[in-house]
Amino acid sequence: MRMPGGWWRSKSTPAKIETYTRWSFHFFGVFEVVVFGIPVLAQVPLRFSGWLFAALCGHALLSTVTASRAVDWTRGRREQPVRLMWTLGTVTALLAAATLLVTDTQPADSDSLGALGSLATGAMGVGIGMITLGMRRRRWMAALVAGFAAGCLALALILRAAPDDAVVAALALMLFPGVMVFASVFSVWLLNAVYELDEARETRALLAVAEERLRFGRDLHDVIGRNLAVIALKSELAVQLARRERPEAVEQMIEVQRIAQESQREVRDVVRGYREADLGVELTGAQGVLNAAGIACEVRGETAGLPAEVQSALGWVVREATTNVLRHGDAGRCEVGIRVLEGRVVLTVENDGAESGGAENEGAEKGSAANGGASDGPPKSRGSGLAGLRERLAAVDGTLEAGRVRKGVFRVVAEVPLAANEVTA
């Protein structure tokens, strides 16, 4: 059963920002009703306050729906809500005009003037702010704000307000809408920037994995390219000698067989561990790949003097753990440590990307490579993932544990005893 708040922790960072942005815009509707609507009920005469408050509630609901559709359009999930935007603009203008008309009916010293002015300001601010969510061009946004300001000024003049007072009132009424437009534009920009940064981070991770594959391909080419060329030449020579019934053809084919067997062994070594892996080189490579993918990586410890077979086994653990961090996690940092303690080498790879699943689900199981079902002799084939790591560590009597150690943190620990593999000078 999902724990409370699990739906939030399961979201990616961009999804969290989008949820926060959406609910912020939804809150503006509640803010409009509570801050600008309730004072109208208390201070405006009953014959006006009821329908003004009801109209404001409808306006807030329409603003919320428009904001939701506009954010979807911003993220490319639906078409631009043009009709909703025009509807909201019309309703906003009518509500502001009606409020100003009611204001003109109140005495100059009435307490209701402040509440009515706040209602008009709030309705225009929220309405204009939500409409600009569905716009891209800044000119259109400025034109929208200027149009409402001009409408307020024209209505005030029609109601025979003093020109100076009408200009001041129009500018005052547009102060909050201007702030709302800025907040809407900035929120959409920030949301799109977060998504773009996340896509760039994923691209960098994919490029890092692709670079590792290219390195493997180059290694594989270097191993078998020359041998295949020699096999082709010797096979052609053996064919020519066989056609002439020369006994040297048998010797050439024996040589072809030997080279083919040697190539098979070398390819197997490449697939298993890129030949004999150097732990120091793997640690340096992992740090470079993770840093290139935007994941801060810190490496601690020394590898000098460790036996070659121990370095090879632990080097593969580093490589596999790095790949899992890149592919499956949503990590921001990764720490790799090497320690020699009481006759054993301990390798620890820890990252903070356990919330997003993937490799962590696979790593929930724990066990020993030495007694985890490996055969007595060297395995004929070694897979990838935790099972493959356990097989490799079993060859040097090592153990492997993997899983979450605390909230949001995933750790892989490999131990190899040095009793039978003493540290070399």
Side-chain angles (χ1 to χ4, degrees), residues 8 23 57 62 65 88 90 176 183 206 254 275 293 336 343 351 359 361 371 387 390 407 410 412:
W8 176 260
W23 282 102
C57 291
L62 181 60
V65 175
L88 178 59
T90 303
F176 179 64
L206 291 175
I254 293 175
R275 287 182 263 186
V336 184
N351 72 88
N361 294 333
N371 55 16
R390 290 193 174 98
K407 181 179 179 180
F410 186 80
V412 176

Side-chain angles (χ1 to χ4, degrees), residues 171-190:
L171 293 177
L173 285 173
M174 298 315 299
L175 180 61
F176 179 64
V179 173
M180 286 295 299
V181 169
F182 174 79
S184 299
V185 172
F186 179 77
S187 298
V188 169
W189 173 84
L190 180 62

Side-chain angles (χ1 to χ4, degrees), residues 289-310:
V289 168
L290 291 175
N291 287 334
I295 302 173
C297 181
E298 180 182 358
V299 177
R300 298 188 300 269
E302 296 293 334
T303 62
L306 294 178
E309 59 270 21
V310 174

Side-chain angles (χ1 to χ4, degrees), residues 29 32-33 36-38 40-41 44 46-63 91 95 98-99 119 123:
E32 179 182 6
V33 173
F36 303 116
I38 293 180
V40 171
L41 293 176
V44 177
L46 184 61
R47 66 179 183 276
F48 299 122
S49 61
W51 64 265
L52 281 176
F53 182 79
L56 186 68
C57 291
H59 179 269
L61 179 60
L62 181 60
S63 299
V91 171
L95 180 57
T99 305
L119 187 147

Side-chain angles (χ1 to χ4, degrees), residues 10 23 92 176 212 266 277 321 350 368 394 403 422:
S10 64
W23 282 102
T92 301
F176 179 64
E212 183 67 11
E266 291 182 350
E350 182 178 294
S368 169
E422 295 182 354

Side-chain angles (χ1 to χ4, degrees), residues 220 223-231 256-270:
L220 188 62
V223 168
I224 68 174
R226 180 183 61 84
N227 290 348
L228 289 177
V230 174
I231 289 174
V256 168
Q257 182 182 23
R258 184 192 67 79
I259 296 174
Q261 292 174 346
E262 180 67 17
S263 299
Q264 185 180 19
R265 183 189 63 79
E266 291 182 350
V267 170
R268 187 180 299 113
D269 290 341
V270 170

